[in-house]
Amino acid sequence: MTNARVYKAPQRQSYDVVIIGGAVMGASVAYWLTQNPDFGGTILVVERDGSFEFASTSLASSVIRQQYSNPVNVLMSQFGVEVIRNFKTRMQNFYPAGQAPDLGFKENGMLFTCTFGEVEAAKARVDMQRSIGAHTVFLSPAEIKARFPYINVDDIGGASWGTEAEGWFDNVGLMTGFRVAARGGGADLIENEVVAIGRDRDTVTNVTLATGEVISCGMVVNASGPRANRTAQMAGLEIPVEPRRRDTFIFACAEAFPTNTPQIVDISGAFCRPEGKFFLAGHPAATDGPADYDDFRTDFDLFEQGVWPALAHRVPKFEAIKLQRSWTGHYEFNTLDQNAIIGPHSEVKNFIFINGFSGHGLQQSAAAGRGVSELIVYGSFATLELRDLGYERIAANRPFLEAAVI
């Protein structure tokens, strides 16, 4: 990858908040700050690639679900659903009349299949999710077959299904809306790159940009996605976040499917969902480990040897399909517990993390961004309690595990 970008200098030499990363997480933080009447500070959002060609946000599969093993993740996604459903109304003051984005939320739900040995654990997760307002149900093999007759249920013990408030939506529309609204609220958004972070003992003092400017700052927010640890290292800090490749495939199937087809998550790890007249599919990497920051090569063997056989077994209609296109993005994978890191460093209090979402960042961006904005304004979470996701567990090497990671 070559850098042919023309970077832009900021308007000021000092900002109250500098956000490193301008995709959906950084844009969400900036949006919620600008909408808070108790915040009157200045905001700079620095994004190294204004095209977002390789941003995790742009390359995400764009689902939102409430089927998690941790209640905090369920609650974060519930707020995400609220924002997505009402996004057009929320954004209308920042766009010309009638041009605010509708995110096209398709609420077909996700169908998580499970083995016979996983049934009781799956039912327990459903009970927990329902106890805090989710619409998940557990389906026996016979019930799956009755609702979705094209699914092979011979070797599964059942499935959990989100009957509403789960599905897929416009990822770029969400990011763009947050960015437009943040700019409309007074934040400065520039294409540039932070190349150094100045620190005086337990305080970050400034950031240096690729264009040479040294910008004084009151707080720094690390919203760098898969590059989060590289950003942290500039400040002499470390977090267990690394890029991991995830391949996405679009294929055509000659067989017809009903309009209520959910996203199917197979026991093998393969998943697929309808996407217009095509299907979107993926599968965990055969050998999963850290990727080079600039490695976006697609593993087509994964489709031939992993995705296609697994899906053809689960949905026999998929025995005859044709690959149309593909792309590869990066998860910002938290190797400790596959959960987000949200909050300040335990010693460098004005360096705030919003990192490590391990594939569920897009759907949690609204809640996470709002939470970080509250930390900046009030010094604590004001709406949804996110302390379990704080940096302290990282420092203590104390995992807060999320079992439902795709």
Side-chain angles (χ1 to χ4, degrees):
M1 296 169 57
T2 59
N3 189 345
R5 306 178 187 114
V6 178
Y7 284 151
K8 181 180 177 181
Q11 298 179 28
R12 306 165 56 94
Q13 295 180 331
S14 177
Y15 288 85
D16 294 299
V17 179
V18 172
I19 301 170
I20 305 174
V24 74
M25 281 303 168
S28 177
V29 174
Y31 165 73
W32 291 106
L33 281 173
T34 61
Q35 297 309 294
N36 191 327
D38 295 327
F39 180 78
T42 53
I43 306 165
L44 176 66
V45 182
V46 184
E47 169 54 45
R48 63 186 296 273
D49 179 13
S51 75
F52 299 100
E53 179 181 5
F54 296 103
S56 295
T57 299
S58 304
L59 301 172
S61 60
S62 311
V63 297
I64 188 162
R65 57 188 168 98
Q66 296 174 50
Q67 296 190 62
Y68 286 100
S69 63
N70 273 314
V72 66
N73 286 329
V74 180
L75 295 171
M76 290 177 74
S77 287
Q78 287 175 349
F79 180 66
V81 168
E82 178 186 328
V83 170
I84 290 167
R85 281 175 169 167
N86 300 295
F87 202 66
K88 189 177 181 70
T89 300
R90 186 180 290 274
M91 294 291 124
Q92 64 185 0
N93 292 336
F94 303 102
Y95 283 83
Q99 294 184 26
D102 183 333
L103 300 183
F105 188 23
K106 189 79 168 176
E107 294 189 54
N108 284 25
M110 300 182 71
L111 188 78
F112 279 82
T113 61
C114 65
T115 65
F116 294 100
E118 295 169 333
V119 167
E120 293 309 313
K123 287 181 176 179
R125 284 195 296 271
V126 167
D127 289 343
M128 179 275 290
Q129 292 154 11
R130 292 183 66 84
S131 74
I132 53 177
H135 302 276
T136 323
V137 297
F138 186 84
L139 303 178
S140 68
E143 290 170 327
I144 297 170
K145 200 69 177 176
R147 288 183 177 272
F148 311 111
Y150 45 86
I151 295 178
N152 170 22
V153 299
D154 291 346
D155 59 344
I156 58 176
S160 56
W161 175 44
T163 60
E164 59 181 278
E166 277 195 351
W168 45 98
F169 62 97
D170 180 357
N171 50 333
V172 175
L174 180 68
M175 175 185 71
T176 303
F178 280 150
R179 287 178 59 83
V180 168
R183 183 178 285 113
D188 290 344
L189 282 69
I190 63 170
E191 183 174 9
N192 209 312
E193 185 171 2
V194 172
V195 296
I197 297 175
R199 179 178 155 191
D200 181 7
R201 289 170 290 189
D202 62 354
T203 303
V204 169
T205 56
N206 58 68
V207 300
T208 301
L209 302 180
T211 45
E213 295 85 359
V214 178
I215 307 299
S216 299
C217 54
M219 285 194 173
V220 167
V221 177
N222 182 355
S224 303
R227 295 174 178 264
N229 192 46
R230 178 175 283 186
T231 296
Q233 288 171 339
M234 292 186 208
L237 309 174
E238 293 276 346
I239 50 173
V241 174
E242 63 188 26
R244 297 225 176 154
R245 290 172 47 194
R246 290 295 183 270
D247 300 312
T248 301
F249 303 96
I250 302 292
F251 66 84
C253 179
E255 297 279 356
F257 282 79
T259 57
N260 70 339
T261 298
Q263 173 158 320
I264 301 167
V265 183
D266 187 47
I267 56 175
S268 66
F271 64 87
C272 75
R273 71 159 191 254
E275 190 66 33
K277 63 180 181 179
F278 300 111
F279 286 84
L280 179 150
H283 193 290
T287 55
D288 202 12
D292 184 272
Y293 287 107
D294 296 316
D295 181 7
F296 291 91
R297 297 169 299 166
T298 299
D299 180 4
F300 290 99
D301 287 341
L302 181 64
F303 181 78
E304 294 290 338
Q305 300 171 18
V307 175
W308 188 6
L311 294 183
H313 172 72
R314 188 59 52 217
V315 181
K317 287 184 178 184
F318 288 152
E319 289 179 357
I321 61 177
K322 183 177 181 180
L323 183 63
Q324 302 293 306
R325 64 189 183 96
S326 62
W327 66 84
T328 297
H330 286 170
Y331 274 11
E332 49 171 328
F333 198 84
N334 179 352
T335 60
L336 178 66
D337 56 19
Q338 295 79 65
N339 253 322
I341 307 167
I342 301 175
H345 188 271
S346 52
E347 297 175 3
V348 186
K349 298 291 187 181
N350 69 333
F351 189 97
I352 297 180
F353 301 101
I354 182 168
N355 309 114
F357 289 83
S358 304
H360 44 273
L362 181 67
Q363 61 192 285
Q364 295 185 335
S365 59
R370 183 183 64 172
V372 166
S373 75
E374 292 167 352
L375 288 176
I376 292 171
V377 178
Y378 306 116
S380 61
F381 298 113
T383 48
L384 182 59
E385 183 55 73
L386 302 177
R387 279 184 296 180
D388 285 340
L389 300 174
Y391 174 81
E392 288 74 15
R393 80 183 196 281
I394 306 298
N397 195 32
R398 185 181 67 248
F400 180 62
L401 289 169
E402 174 54 56
V405 176
I406 302 177

